[in-house]
């Protein structure tokens, strides 16, 4: 019998300022959490069923634990199937067979289900019996649009299952609305979320799940996470072109291009790295000396340069070109954020940007058919919630299924 009977968890989405794709190849990325979150409700039940409801992607599935247990038959020794840092490829193979998902699939539902089942089976692999669970996930983030929806999902799943298994504590006391885990526990959540990302993405750098876990403004370089404490308050517009794309395919497209034209692409990755370094230095100067027009002009140049680099990498899209042209006609600079190929872009607003310009740009982008809104950045990473601290509309959705 598990002690944790239910829990509510949330994790934020993210925006990458600079370094998407380059970060997969060992370069620096600068990323920040968003005020849009994914929420999960887990209940431990006395039944022998595991059910998952994913209303964002219209997926509602249920399995008897007796059909799941045999999938762990290859984990014979203590500790097997439990590595938070190494993917159990045999389990992934068996799960693909079990769910009839082919190796190259990028199907939205299949990826979400595979990531969930993989984490569930690994986390409970040493339990005598697999527990009955009911899990529902709902996100404020657009799915598959560059704002880290896959990472927020993987972080929530990993935090909830590890808490239910009591591998990590339930951090919430009775008087608290929200609570976070210790750094060590967060590291474990992050490691398991990376496994989920690996199943969804194929070859993630780890930056997205790091932001979903730790929150705030981060510098990410080859697995090393450094919180950026000296950053100014930035105003950013987020635009969703609503052009669907898959991070998995885009990441592998960039890899193929690097393999085909290494002498062309490697200098581009190095240039993106330099963009991230200059951006980091500029942000630190703005925070310590006060932000000047020159600082903003540098940030705008870096956005334009990086957008061109991302086009060279092959992850642009005509919708993103249109978006950049529309904002530039109003003097505002934009670049894609996340994997590109459609999805979302960020536009930098400066202290000089007048409010009527912001209104006009938003209106114009909406008329094209895009979603556009001003976002707030730097939200907290993964959280455990009391039911009363889950926004009412989200609580209603989570408890409906
Ligand atoms: N709310 C959700 N419910 C279920 N599955 C989700 C949810 N959000 C994301 N996913 C899973 O994540 C996949 C989308 O991941 P993908 O990496 O392609 O996009 P993203 O994470 O939104 O963008 P990026 O990786 O560029 O930041 C979906 O296909 C689905 O499998
Ligand atoms: C495209 C990419 O760099 C960012 C996706 O948000 C992939 C990754 O870092 O895993
Ligand atoms: Mg993703």
């Amino acid at each position: 019998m598990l002690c944790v009977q239910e829990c509510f968890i949330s994790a934020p989405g993210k925006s990458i300022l600079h370094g998407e794709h380059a970060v997969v190849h060992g370069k620096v990325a600068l990323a920040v959490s968003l005020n849009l979150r994914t929420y999960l409700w887990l209940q431990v039940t006395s039944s022998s069923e595991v059910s998952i409801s994913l209303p964002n992607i219209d997926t509602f599935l249920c399995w008897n634990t007796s059909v799941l247990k045999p999938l762990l038959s290859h984990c014979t020794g203590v500790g097997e199937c439990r590595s938070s840092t190494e993917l159990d490829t045999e389990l992934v193979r068996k799960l693909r067979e079990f769910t009839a998902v082919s190796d190259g699939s990028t199907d939205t539902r299949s990826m979400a289900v595979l990531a969930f089942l993989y984490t569930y089976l690994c986390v409970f692999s040493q339990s005598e019996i697999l527990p009955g669970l009911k899990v529902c996930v709902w996100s404020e983030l657009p799915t598959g649009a560059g704002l880290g929806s896959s990472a927020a999902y993987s972080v929530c799943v990993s935090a909830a299952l590890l808490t239910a298994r009591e591998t990590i504590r339930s951090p919430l006391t009775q008087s608290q609305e929200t609570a976070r885990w210790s750094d060590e526990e967060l590291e474990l959540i992050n490691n398991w979320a990376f496994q989920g990302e690996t199943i969804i993405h194929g070859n993630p750098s780890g930056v997205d799940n790091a932001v979903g876990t730790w929150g705030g403004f981060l510098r990410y370089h080859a697995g090393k996470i450094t919180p950026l404490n000296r950053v100014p308050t930035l105003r950013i517009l987020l635009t969703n072109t609503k052009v669907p794309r898959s991070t998995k395919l885009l990441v592998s497209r960039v890899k193929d291009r690097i393999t085909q034209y290494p002498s062309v692409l490697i200098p581009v990755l190095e240039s993106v790295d330099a963009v991230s370094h200059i951006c980091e230095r500029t942000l630190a100067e703005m925070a310590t000396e006060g932000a000047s027009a020159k600082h903003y002009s540098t940030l705008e140049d870096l956005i334009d340069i990086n957008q061109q680099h991302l086009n060279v990498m092959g992850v642009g899209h005509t919708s993103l070109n249109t978006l950049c042209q529309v904002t530039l006609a109003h003097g505002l600079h934009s670049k894609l954020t996340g994997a590109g190929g459609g999805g979302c872009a960020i536009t930098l607003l400066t202290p000089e940007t007048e409010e009527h310009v912001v209104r006009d740009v938003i209106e114009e982008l909406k008329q094209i058919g895009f979603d556009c809104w001003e976002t707030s950045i730097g939200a907290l990473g993964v959280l455990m919630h009391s039911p009363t601290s889950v926004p009412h509309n989200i609580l209603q959705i989570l408890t409906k299924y």
Side-chain angles (χ1 to χ4, degrees):
M1 186 62 161
L2 299 169
C3 292
V4 175
Q5 288 306 306
E6 67 165 344
C7 61
F8 287 92
I9 310 277
S10 78
K14 61 88 229 234
S15 171
I16 297 186
L17 233 55
H18 289 294
E20 48 273 274
H21 290 289
V23 67
V24 176
H25 304 278
K27 309 299 181 201
V28 168
L30 304 178
V32 67
S33 54
L34 297 174
N35 61 340
L36 296 174
R37 304 182 77 85
T38 295
Y39 290 83
L40 179 152
W41 183 33
L42 175 144
Q43 292 166 276
V44 177
T45 67
S46 54
S47 80
S48 54
E49 285 187 337
V50 179
S51 77
I52 179 141
S53 301
L54 308 171
N56 292 104
I57 57 168
D58 202 18
T59 300
F60 306 89
L61 290 167
C62 185
W63 304 269
N64 198 293
T65 52
S66 62
V67 300
L68 296 175
K69 188 79 181 169
L71 295 166
L72 288 169
S73 60
H74 65 290
C75 310
T76 44
V78 173
E80 277 190 72
C81 289
R82 291 198 62 197
S83 167
S84 65
T85 50
E86 212 177 306
L87 197 70
D88 179 346
T89 49
E90 177 58 9
L91 182 56
V92 177
R93 192 195 61 73
K94 284 182 175 175
L95 277 171
R96 283 191 189 285
E97 206 172 83
F98 176 71
T99 52
V101 178
S102 68
D103 204 2
S105 170
T106 54
D107 172 63
T108 303
R109 295 171 181 181
S110 311
M111 294 301 106
V113 169
L114 271 184
F116 170 77
L117 282 179
Y118 179 85
T119 316
Y120 168 74
L121 286 171
C122 286
V123 165
F124 288 101
S125 64
Q126 303 293 306
S127 305
E128 222 162 277
I129 48 161
L130 288 174
L133 297 180
K134 255 186 99 175
V135 173
C136 183
V137 181
W138 173 258
S139 187
E140 299 171 319
L141 291 158
T143 304
L147 302 185
S149 72
S150 61
Y153 171 76
S154 300
V155 170
C156 284
V157 165
S158 132
L161 293 173
L162 288 168
T163 305
R165 172 73 178 88
E166 297 190 325
T167 309
I168 57 178
R169 267 156 346 113
S170 176
L172 201 69
T173 60
Q174 266 197 334
S175 59
Q176 283 176 306
E177 290 281 275
T178 58
R180 279 169 66 66
W181 292 263
S182 69
D183 282 0
E184 248 172 46
E185 291 167 323
L186 288 171
E187 215 159 288
L188 200 60
I189 293 172
N190 189 41
N191 286 344
W192 279 108
F194 180 76
Q195 308 279 7
E197 277 283 83
T198 305
I199 288 169
I200 296 172
H201 272 207
N203 183 25
S205 64
V207 62
D208 293 2
N209 49 281
V211 179
T213 303
W214 300 98
F217 218 128
L218 299 181
R219 174 191 210 269
Y220 188 89
H221 184 211
K224 184 164 184 276
I225 303 161
T226 315
L228 294 185
N229 300 321
R230 290 186 307 158
V231 279
T233 310
L234 292 179
R235 281 185 69 192
I236 286 174
L237 279 188
L238 266 179
T239 304
N240 185 0
T241 64
K242 300 192 201 156
V243 174
R245 45 14 123 249
S246 149
T247 300
K248 186 176 183 174
L249 288 179
L250 290 153
V251 167
S252 84
R253 186 188 296 171
V254 173
K255 182 166 170 262
D256 290 347
R257 205 170 253 213
I258 296 170
T259 309
Q260 198 176 357
Y261 307 109
S263 57
V264 178
L265 269 294
I266 288 167
V268 174
L269 299 180
E270 261 150 31
S271 179
V272 171
D273 200 45
V275 164
S276 295
H277 281 101
I278 298 172
C279 181
E280 186 182 350
R281 210 168 52 223
T282 307
L283 292 174
E285 272 179 28
M286 290 167 85
T288 45
E289 299 166 9
S292 67
K294 191 159 171 286
H295 288 132
Y296 274 101
S297 161
T298 304
L299 293 184
E300 290 173 339
D301 286 344
L302 297 175
I303 285 174
D304 293 343
I305 292 167
N306 199 357
Q307 176 61 18
Q308 299 304 334
H309 283 339
L310 288 157
N311 276 323
V312 173
M313 287 183 216
V315 296
H317 190 270
T318 47
S319 63
L320 293 163
N321 296 341
T322 304
L323 187 157
C324 291
Q325 278 160 14
V326 168
T327 64
L328 200 57
H330 293 271
L332 301 177
H333 298 250
S334 308
K335 68 172 271 293
L336 69 84
T337 186
C344 288
I346 49 172
T347 303
L348 181 68
L349 303 178
T350 76
E352 264 69 63
T353 314
E354 295 186 50
E355 284 314 305
H356 72 89
V357 172
V358 179
R359 274 198 307 273
D360 290 351
V361 169
I362 293 178
E363 190 49 41
E364 213 170 309
L365 291 169
K366 281 186 175 168
Q367 290 214 332
I368 297 173
F370 300 161
D371 279 343
C372 183
W373 68 97
E374 186 170 347
T375 186
S376 93
I377 55 177
L380 286 173
V382 62
L383 289 175
M384 179 175 275
H385 292 257
S386 69
T388 51
S389 72
V390 177
H392 187 63
N393 57 329
I394 289 166
L395 192 64
Q396 273 187 325
I397 297 169
L398 289 178
T399 52
K400 187 169 135 193
Y401 297 98

